[in-house]
Amino acid sequence: MLRVGVVGYGYWGPNLARNFSLHPNFKLIRIADRDADRRAAARQTYPEVEIIADAQLLCSDPEIDVVVIATPVFTHHELARQALLNGKHVWVEKPMTSTSEQAKELVDLAESRDLILMVDHTFLFTGPVQTMKSLIDRDELGSLYYYDSVRINLGIFQHDINVIWDLAPHDLSIMDYLLGPTARAVCAHGRGHYDTGLEDVAYVSVFYDNNLIAHFHLNWLSPVKMRRTLVGGSKKMLAWDDMNQEESLKVYNKGMDVKNREGMYKVLATPRFGDMYAPVVPNIEALKTEVNYFNQCIINGERPHNDGSAGLRIVKMLEATDRSLARDGRVIELEDAWVAK
Amino acid sequence: MLRVGVVGYGYWGPNLARNFSLHPNFKLIRIADRDADRRAAARQTYPEVEIIADAQLLCSDPEIDVVVIATPVFTHHELARQALLNGKHVWVEKPMTSTSEQAKELVDLAESRDLILMVDHTFLFTGPVQTMKSLIDRDELGSLYYYDSVRINLGIFQHDINVIWDLAPHDLSIMDYLLGPTARAVCAHGRGHYDTGLEDVAYVSVFYDNNLIAHFHLNWLSPVKMRRTLVGGSKKMLAWDDMNQEESLKVYNKGMDVKNREGMYKVLATPRFGDMYAPVVPNIEALKTEVNYFNQCIINGERPHNDGSAGLRIVKMLEATDRSLARDGRVIELEDAWVAK
Amino acid sequence: MLRVGVVGYGYWGPNLARNFSLHPNFKLIRIADRDADRRAAARQTYPEVEIIADAQLLCSDPEIDVVVIATPVFTHHELARQALLNGKHVWVEKPMTSTSEQAKELVDLAESRDLILMVDHTFLFTGPVQTMKSLIDRDELGSLYYYDSVRINLGIFQHDINVIWDLAPHDLSIMDYLLGPTARAVCAHGRGHYDTGLEDVAYVSVFYDNNLIAHFHLNWLSPVKMRRTLVGGSKKMLAWDDMNQEESLKVYNKGMDVKNREGMYKVLATPRFGDMYAPVVPNIEALKTEVNYFNQCIINGERPHNDGSAGLRIVKMLEATDRSLARDGRVIELEDAWVAK
Amino acid sequence: MLRVGVVGYGYWGPNLARNFSLHPNFKLIRIADRDADRRAAARQTYPEVEIIADAQLLCSDPEIDVVVIATPVFTHHELARQALLNGKHVWVEKPMTSTSEQAKELVDLAESRDLILMVDHTFLFTGPVQTMKSLIDRDELGSLYYYDSVRINLGIFQHDINVIWDLAPHDLSIMDYLLGPTARAVCAHGRGHYDTGLEDVAYVSVFYDNNLIAHFHLNWLSPVKMRRTLVGGSKKMLAWDDMNQEESLKVYNKGMDVKNREGMYKVLATPRFGDMYAPVVPNIEALKTEVNYFNQCIINGERPHNDGSAGLRIVKMLEATDRSLARDGRVIELEDAWVAK
């Protein structure tokens, strides 16, 4: 039985607390939040758990085996560092840290102390992403041509990060999971419309070999909530609408049939309109699956696929979007991004 | 009664021929197409119209007052030039020409000879765009923050132009119509996936003053057809779904209420969720309205708002996307683009 | 070459005129309409066709081989009768006649004179119905459990028929086509809300053997237009949304897995949630296909499946709905309805 | 502080337990379920609550002030009776009882002992129904013409009740709430397709004065889940899609403009296509609101609008559907239904 402390009981923390408290091999024993109202809320739901204000105290508490960090991004590094230094396994929300240096330090710390460091890229554990992964792995889509994501809503403005750092980790981690660390370059455009210095509407492109292009529309100012992804491949295409619970994933036997030929136009491209099907997507609670996977990794001493290195890669790409924004959308090469493991 | 000749009876030509033939002040007397099958089709529908192969002949035919050009883009300049030199009013499909030099020459020709030169930006005459224009003109949306358009489908690959030149003229001309010639800069990213040298997936951003950003997703390789536009303003937001005939336009009383305040975070932004309404959008055939407007402009000697200068501005922005693509997405300033008016 | 006269150039007549005029084996030579405006419209589109006011004249015109009737229902019988008596093949709009006696007389007339009498049940020639027919014929759905249709919109009020006679022929003819003449009984409920004596909202149930139930919601007072059909079978289920052009038909591998068992509840039913697929539905213009089929039937002397007998069956069921309405929704047996075949 | 016992911890019970446990004036102290697995689940979530097997025991427990009944329908009467006889306020799931005699007995018991008896018609406390109620009360829709509900999904087959008793209470109670006890007659058609003796597909019509007709499509065998209601009025119409969280309610300024006139057709009806708007629908958890309302009623000794009499009316209408089903869809008058209060 692993004893768990959760730091941060704001928006996402309650979901983490609930899932850890329900897992048979975890025992939730401590929750920390600096806000008195949030502590009162935690106390009501978990009368048997100790609720405290001091996050640092929790991270060094000798009774705790696992620290779960769900605080604002700029605090992740210090809290995770304390927890790792005190020999605890760490689950940290995305994005992992504010800088890649911080992320690298955590990766090294975890490695040197043989601790599990996992970044909560929840989407990787959803039915649709699991299904997409399996479609791609068995080459049902063929060569990938593009990955287009629209992730927009009338959003909660984050105070310390822009809309890219808030929303792009989902798509960046999904692409990293589907294709491995193969991104070559990144660029970003965005604009902020309030006096915060933070972009609230942004467009991010990620470039891969073989003309694969990924693109994310990220927006806190949309009147409608959308979570839509299109993936085009040489064989098939897919559409994922995460707001459509009944038919979230559709696979289209559509594409272009291309013939080279003589004459004025050397290529003749004809659209192919085939059947569409919607595979059964397992209706799992992603977070429950992920908490269970975290437990397996700790027990077996296995490195999770969404480990600190994965988190570090995402942070490097986020930093690249910052550099691109600062240089008017310049494409930023990621050449050395993957070297650091 | 103005005597009309239509050049090009392929995809769009039949719609033009039909609308001109039904208008009481136009008389369709000639159709030219170099393809024998298309000529046979024209002959069947219009037994009383002379159907010929030679476009040049049509453009210089003394019996004709108005030449309507619906041929591939690279032929527009030469045909329109002939027609104008022969004293005819010209209706030309979008994009107007292959280069801005060509467009400029046509603008000057038309001006010096007092002829009407109109570029078919059909969308400007649709109910939704007319309604959007009126919403913006009466400041119902407030300051515009972003314009986001998704214009994708499993497309007919054009042979002589990429997906930007094919589809972006719609959005560029709509923005030009809604806001006037105020775009400041353009950038584009895209990729081609077939051996044509032409991008089939592309993303275009257009930058305006006051942090207004426009963005278009243009795609010939999408398994689903979408025509969706979101516009965010300081007061209201709107969504236009051109595939939804019954409720194409929705206006949302949504946004962020922002307060400046003391302390750690200087801005407190709270989402405002108000009513949505779908105004009655006039159910007009855009092309019919446009043909009628063309007639009015000729009769009254008025310059249409979608005249050659408007067409020229769109071509300049398209050229800027080419330059951006060639320079890895570099932002291209449009500083002198509007001077040539 | 068969010479065609079209009677009635109102709402549907122009579509008929167009399709007959485009078919290589038909020659449209006459259009009759008693309304001067409609005649002017016909004249503008078909300058080479003779446009007249007198329908009776057309029906007895010796130059005409085929009469196409698209007038109000109460006139169908007399016009078709004239045409058949004068040796013409007849295409008549649905519903075929105002009474089954009238329909029966036409069936007998056509049979005795070896003329083709076809009722325009256009939906039978659409891609979705063709695909449904083939799914059912190859038993992909298993035993049918229900057929539920919603056919509603803010409608054109008909002057001479209620909403059932206006809209139910579509569903009745589709069921007749899919399953043959196997309906056992009919009932109807409806209400009118204007001073016309005609129901504008109605619900019709049709009962078949083996507990198959068909049900139609027919409504001229709906704020939204819907054309949705659900079909439940023992093996699979399907949904047809005729307003969704891209994915009109969806086949669901869903159902109940039922086990008989001992104990308190003798049946254990568990839902089965399998894949959905959307077959490619041929994108044909139904009317074009139907006109061609009409031509084949005339040439080959073949009885069409949507012949006068099919039209008669639909009228009998419509009459049964009238009787049911008059008796407060009583179920009306159709026992002798199919004998008259 | 009112001490609460929940009987039945199956599908809905956990939601009730959660909401009662979170309300400041209720204290959840007992849960009863005869199933050991369900008791284990209750124990894990509520370690501080006593979990027992015997429902009767709970209903007579002197420590308990309020009994909440979420067991199969056929047990409602006996449990509620026990609870009332023992002086407890009762919250009972819908449908209230298996027969109207049972319901009447409970109503009388509660009244004679001055106890609150409330039937959980949850939908009445949702944002959309609250909004519809207010639209109707301020006569925004005008005279009601029809209420059409589609409530279908691939369902959990109930063992003791058919699809009407399972799903129709929602619509019947909504209509009862919106319009008061004004229904005049009921009829029902349905079919069962498994060896259970219970209808799994059914259609229910309810008739009111002034040609208002309500109709419900209830179905456990639908491949898609739908919760759609249309309401047509003389002034406006509304559509409620309970699966669409963002725009659940739409109000249409649509209808027919009718003029009486001379001549052949005495009525000229023209469709009116006006704006649509989606009012802000309060995003409340209905059950939380309802639990709070229950508390208010107990504290103030006020009769809830969804009291036992309302539950009784719904049961009477359900019985009428049974009688109608048994008589082949005969319309059953409800003349004396509302007399019993």
Side-chain angles (χ1 to χ4, degrees), chain D residues 7-73:
Chain D
V7 188
Y9 197 76
Y11 171 70
W12 194 241
N15 295 324
L16 294 167
R18 177 169 51 81
N19 272 283
F20 276 97
S21 75
L22 291 173
H23 191 280
N25 201 40
F26 288 115
K27 184 171 172 61
L28 177 64
I29 65 166
R30 211 84 82 236
I31 294 174
D33 199 293
R34 62 176 197 167
D35 183 272
D37 288 349
R38 299 311 303 153
R39 288 200 300 276
R43 218 163 265 134
Q44 181 165 26
T45 310
Y46 300 104
E48 76 287 13
V49 170
E50 190 187 355
I51 315 294
I52 64 175
D54 188 337
Q56 296 283 356
L57 209 67
L58 191 153
C59 292
S60 57
D61 187 328
E63 284 186 43
I64 282 178
D65 305 306
V66 170
V67 171
V68 176
I69 301 171
T71 53
V73 180

Side-chain angles (χ1 to χ4, degrees), chain A residues 71-82:
Chain A
T71 53
V73 180
F74 70 90
T75 66
H76 287 183
H77 169 251
E78 184 53 27
L79 293 170
R81 196 172 150 271
Q82 283 299 325

Side-chain angles (χ1 to χ4, degrees), chain B residues 247 250 252 274-276 278 280, chain D residues 247 250 252 274-276 278 280:
Chain B
E247 295 166 12
K250 295 178 179 172
Y252 295 84
D275 288 0
M276 173 269 279
V280 177
Chain D
E247 295 166 13
K250 295 178 180 174
Y252 296 84
D275 288 0
M276 174 269 278
V280 177

Side-chain angles (χ1 to χ4, degrees), chain A residues 11-13 15-16 18-20 68-70 91-96 118-131 151 166-175 177 240 242 282 284-294 305-307 310-311 314:
Chain A
Y11 170 70
W12 194 242
N15 294 324
L16 295 167
R18 177 170 50 83
N19 273 282
F20 276 97
V68 175
I69 300 171
W91 166 299
V92 62
E93 280 313 297
K94 61 87 201 163
M96 184 182 177
M118 188 156 139
V119 184
D120 181 10
H121 293 144
T122 319
F123 263 108
L124 310 188
F125 296 87
T126 59
V129 173
Q130 290 291 322
T131 307
R151 192 174 295 280
D166 183 32
L167 298 178
H170 296 306
D171 296 298
L172 292 170
S173 63
I174 291 169
M175 285 299 282
Y177 177 62
W240 167 29
D242 207 51
I284 46 181
E285 188 186 354
L287 202 46
K288 183 178 174 182
T289 308
E290 190 178 4
V291 164
N292 194 48
Y293 176 64
F294 185 45
H305 60 73
N306 54 328
D307 65 353
I314 306 313

Side-chain angles (χ1 to χ4, degrees), chain A residues 73 94-95 156-169 188-192 196-202 204 218-220 318 321-322 325:
Chain A
V73 180
K94 61 87 201 163
I156 302 157
F157 274 51
Q158 302 288 334
H159 294 290
D160 58 336
I161 54 176
N162 69 10
V163 72
I164 298 178
W165 282 75
D166 183 32
L167 298 178
H189 298 280
R191 288 294 184 269
T196 62
L198 298 173
E199 287 77 12
D200 43 45
V201 176
V204 173
L218 310 163
N219 195 327
W220 283 335
L318 293 170
T321 66
D322 279 346
L325 286 174

Side-chain angles (χ1 to χ4, degrees), chain B residues 192-265:
Chain B
H193 301 92
Y194 298 95
D195 194 15
T196 62
L198 298 173
E199 287 77 13
D200 43 44
V201 176
Y203 300 94
V204 173
S205 300
V206 187
F207 303 96
Y208 297 80
D209 288 341
N210 298 318
N211 286 335
L212 169 59
I213 181 169
H215 185 271
F216 321 138
H217 174 199
L218 309 163
N219 195 327
W220 282 335
L221 290 178
S222 168
V224 286
K225 182 172 182 180
M226 286 192 195
R227 296 284 184 265
R228 289 180 191 233
T229 303
L230 294 172
V231 182
S234 57
K235 295 183 185 169
K236 290 190 180 169
M237 299 170 168
L238 71 79
W240 167 29
D241 181 352
D242 207 52
M243 307 294 291
N244 182 341
Q245 293 307 321
E246 299 230 325
E247 295 166 12
S248 57
L249 210 60
K250 295 178 179 172
V251 183
Y252 295 84
N253 185 3
K254 291 187 177 179
M256 300 303 293
D257 287 332
V258 174
K259 284 184 199 145
N260 293 317
R261 61 171 189 180
E262 300 296 310
M264 185 169 170
Y265 304 120

